[in-house]
Amino acid sequence: MTIHTVRTSYAPQGKNYMLEINPKWVDGSPDDELNQIDARWIDMLSGVFIDITAVRRKRKQAGILFCKDRHRYREADLFPLRDSIFEGRPVKIPYNYAELLQEEYGRVSLTRTRFAGHTFNSTSMEWQKNPKKPP
């Protein structure tokens, strides 16, 4: 486990994240159902996390990548990676991110602008907490 402190304009004092790597990440077999997640990026304040799974080449199928959780991807859907911003930091995202998100979470994943007490601001491209309603 490694702790990373990330400073942003909205958290100038920094937020702590833990990067936890599964020691079995090198085993690409989908048979061990308890070890399908290769790593986890964890917000240490809220406990919210992002699961990270490594993609591997499928030896018998050119252009196909797979994860231990049995997801399969075309290399052309992932590469070349695109530049984006996540929490004020530059990141790389899959080339065909829109189609991949719709396949995994449905069309609403790209059109819903209100969720869990937040509204997506299309100008700033950020989820913003809704103001509390007066009593």
Side-chain angles (χ1 to χ4, degrees), residues 44-77:
M44 294 182 65
L45 184 62
S46 69
V48 172
F49 58 86
I50 298 172
D51 284 339
I52 301 168
T53 54
V55 291
R56 296 156 169 85
R57 283 196 164 79
K58 189 111 172 116
R59 291 188 184 130
K60 297 177 183 176
Q61 292 179 305
I64 302 296
L65 301 169
F66 72 99
C67 299
K68 291 192 281 189
D69 63 4
R70 302 187 192 275
H71 280 80
R72 293 194 170 17
Y73 303 97
R74 294 180 320 128
E75 278 189 67
D77 285 337

Side-chain angles (χ1 to χ4, degrees), residues 8-72:
T8 63
S9 59
Y10 61 86
Q13 73 285 2
K15 287 181 71 174
N16 289 325
Y17 296 90
M18 180 188 330
L19 178 61
E20 184 176 50
I21 305 293
N22 181 345
K24 290 194 163 199
W25 76 270
V26 295
D27 179 3
S29 170
D31 297 334
D32 185 354
E33 293 185 10
L34 297 177
N35 283 296
Q36 292 186 344
I37 302 302
D38 294 315
R40 190 165 272 170
W41 181 252
I42 307 165
D43 180 324
M44 294 182 65
L45 184 62
S46 69
V48 172
F49 58 86
I50 298 172
D51 284 339
I52 301 168
T53 54
V55 291
R56 296 156 169 85
R57 283 196 164 79
K58 189 111 172 116
R59 291 188 184 130
K60 297 177 183 176
Q61 292 179 305
I64 302 296
L65 301 169
F66 72 99
C67 299
K68 291 192 281 189
D69 63 4
R70 302 187 192 275
H71 280 80
R72 293 194 170 17

Side-chain angles (χ1 to χ4, degrees), residues 10 45-46 113-121 124-133:
Y10 61 86
L45 184 62
S46 69
T113 59
R114 292 181 178 269
F115 182 75
H118 291 74
T119 300
F120 186 73
N121 181 323
S124 67
M125 300 298 286
E126 295 179 325
W127 285 95
Q128 298 174 338
K129 193 169 191 165
N130 296 337
K132 291 188 178 190
K133 296 178 182 176

